[in-house]
Amino acid sequence: VPQYFGHSAVRDGSGGVVHLAMSFIPGVVLDQWMYGISDAQHKRVDVHEFVSGRLPGGMQRTIGFDAVCGITRSLLERLAKVMDVLEPIAFHRDVSSHNVLVNFGCNRSDHNFDDPSFALIDFGLAVNSSTWSEDWNNSNLAGDPRYWTPAAWMAFAFGFSFVESHENQGHVRQYLSRMDHYSVGVLGIEILFALWDDVSKGPESCSTGLQEAKAAWCELWGSVVRLFQMFHIQGPLATREYLTASSETGGISLMVELLAKVRDRLRCAATERVNRAHAGLLRILADLIDEQGTCQWNTLAAMMNDMAAPQPSTAPQPSRQTCSGQDARIGESN
């Protein structure tokens, strides 16, 4: 993270101006490096190309699986160290690909992605973690909606009273104490499947589990990106009306189902011998986006690098039938 050096404050009429002096962090914004588009273009980009294709000027589907797992692992390790120090003080609330800088220390055309450096920026929406359990249901929603927990979407559509009385209290717990875990997990999976060149030959290309995990992720990510674009183009009111009208057949219910599907596919992929070297990473990613997740920032790196580690979540193990892809298909979002 940037280092704080000092600040000055000057009163100006009814307001004022604050200047901050902070250290310079080299690197580029992660989402610009991955996709090659501006913040404004994210709001109107073709969803299929963004989720499953390759946009001009970006890095989508250009990196081998071992290398992209190394990038994802480095991201999680770096952010976990920051979050472990931050959590007793504050929750960031806006972890996303546009609030992370990446620096490989070399020209990207060299195809050398060893030891990337990541920096977390923009703490403007952070909240006091020691009082969040008292303030959460009276505070505004914040951050990039693509990285919102299901509870945040529930509160947006139906209000915080709906979240408080939800039959799955894991969603409340996630919003109270693990919203940054969730956003980091979403970001990790986004990097994994956006950058992975799943067309070139490699042992992992034969992994049915990985292909199914990516398909599940693309289904989830596509539906969330569509909501994000609706939010910015049609406005919050239209998005809320869509979610409340589709509460029984899609919307948030579909999002929760798709999240469960992604977690299950990641855990299934972790059981395949071809993915043994990255099994810990796949399990941790599943745990981070699980409302019943249990991994902690200070143990994440060790658990992620333990190939034979059991699943840290309290969720049930994926069934043999599910891992073979025989489950019923979840309906598509509108």
Side-chain angles (χ1 to χ4, degrees):
V1 297
Q3 182 180 353
Y4 165 82
F5 293 133
H7 73 278
S8 66
V10 179
R11 186 176 294 280
D12 181 15
S14 59
V17 178
V18 176
H19 293 96
L20 289 173
M22 305 184 75
S23 61
F24 172 75
I25 302 291
V28 296
V29 179
L30 181 58
D31 66 350
Q32 292 179 0
W33 177 75
M34 285 199 297
Y35 303 111
I37 59 177
S38 66
D39 288 346
Q41 289 173 303
H42 277 265
K43 300 169 185 176
R44 296 183 179 275
V45 67
D46 179 83
V47 175
H48 177 75
E49 287 300 308
F50 180 77
V51 172
S52 305
R54 183 179 177 186
L55 297 168
M59 295 295 294
Q60 290 166 281
R61 304 178 70 184
T62 62
I63 304 176
F65 190 68
D66 286 341
V68 79
C69 282
I71 294 171
T72 307
R73 185 177 285 106
S74 293
L75 171 85
L76 297 186
E77 289 177 346
R78 302 294 174 89
L79 292 190
K81 291 178 180 178
V82 173
M83 293 301 187
D84 190 38
V85 176
L86 177 67
E87 193 171 79
I89 306 168
F91 295 127
H92 187 281
R93 292 208 305 168
D94 197 15
V95 177
S96 62
S97 59
H98 57 266
N99 280 337
V100 171
L101 301 181
V102 60
N103 180 28
F104 290 97
C106 63
N107 190 300
R108 75 181 186 187
S109 63
D110 293 337
H111 302 290
N112 181 2
F113 302 105
D114 293 337
D115 195 27
S117 174
F118 294 97
L120 181 64
I121 61 174
D122 197 349
F123 289 74
L125 297 174
V127 293
N128 189 329
S129 57
S130 65
T131 59
W132 181 240
S133 61
E134 303 169 4
D135 302 335
W136 70 279
N137 54 1
N138 292 311
S139 300
N140 292 330
L141 297 168
D144 186 326
R146 290 173 295 184
Y147 302 84
W148 279 2
T149 65
W153 281 109
M154 292 176 193
F156 170 76
F158 306 109
F160 281 108
S161 59
F162 178 88
V163 180
E164 290 180 278
S165 61
H166 197 277
E167 61 181 2
N168 184 351
Q169 285 294 294
H171 293 306
V172 178
R173 169 180 170 269
Q174 189 176 56
Y175 192 74
L176 283 173
S177 62
R178 296 181 65 84
M179 69 175 99
D180 287 341
H181 291 79
Y182 179 86
S183 298
V184 169
V186 169
L187 178 57
I189 302 171
E190 177 188 3
I191 291 173
L192 184 70
F193 291 129
L195 298 180
W196 175 31
D197 179 7
D198 59 343
V199 176
S200 299
K201 294 295 183 182
E204 71 283 346
S205 64
C206 300
S207 168
T208 302
L210 275 180
Q211 296 292 348
E212 290 181 350
K214 180 173 182 177
W217 166 253
C218 289
E219 192 175 4
L220 169 67
W221 194 230
S223 67
V224 172
V225 171
R226 290 184 184 93
L227 284 175
F228 167 83
Q229 292 185 341
M230 181 186 296
F231 185 93
H232 285 284
I233 296 172
Q234 300 181 36
L237 181 59
T239 308
R240 182 178 291 113
E241 290 176 348
Y242 165 76
L243 289 172
T244 54
S246 60
S247 60
E248 296 298 325
T249 58
I252 298 170
S253 297
L254 176 65
M255 185 187 305
V256 171
E257 290 185 57
L258 291 177
L259 271 167
K261 186 176 179 181
V262 171
R263 295 193 302 264
D264 202 65
R265 294 298 186 272
L266 287 169
R267 288 168 175 144
C268 285
T271 66
E272 295 186 337
R273 181 176 294 274
V274 69
N275 301 321
R276 185 174 182 273
H278 306 297
L281 171 63
L282 298 174
R283 293 188 182 105
I284 284 294
L285 289 171
D287 186 84
L288 287 169
I289 63 169
D290 194 335
E291 71 272 13
Q292 307 296 341
T294 59
C295 72
Q296 300 299 317
W297 297 124
N298 61 353
T299 60
L300 183 147
M303 297 175 72
M304 183 168 53
N305 293 317
D306 184 357
M307 294 184 295
Q311 294 188 58
S313 173
T314 57
Q317 296 278 342
S319 66
R320 184 178 300 275
Q321 182 182 26
T322 301
C323 285
S324 63
Q326 299 299 316
D327 59 320
R329 171 130 168 85
I330 295 175
E332 305 217 354
S333 66
N334 295 328

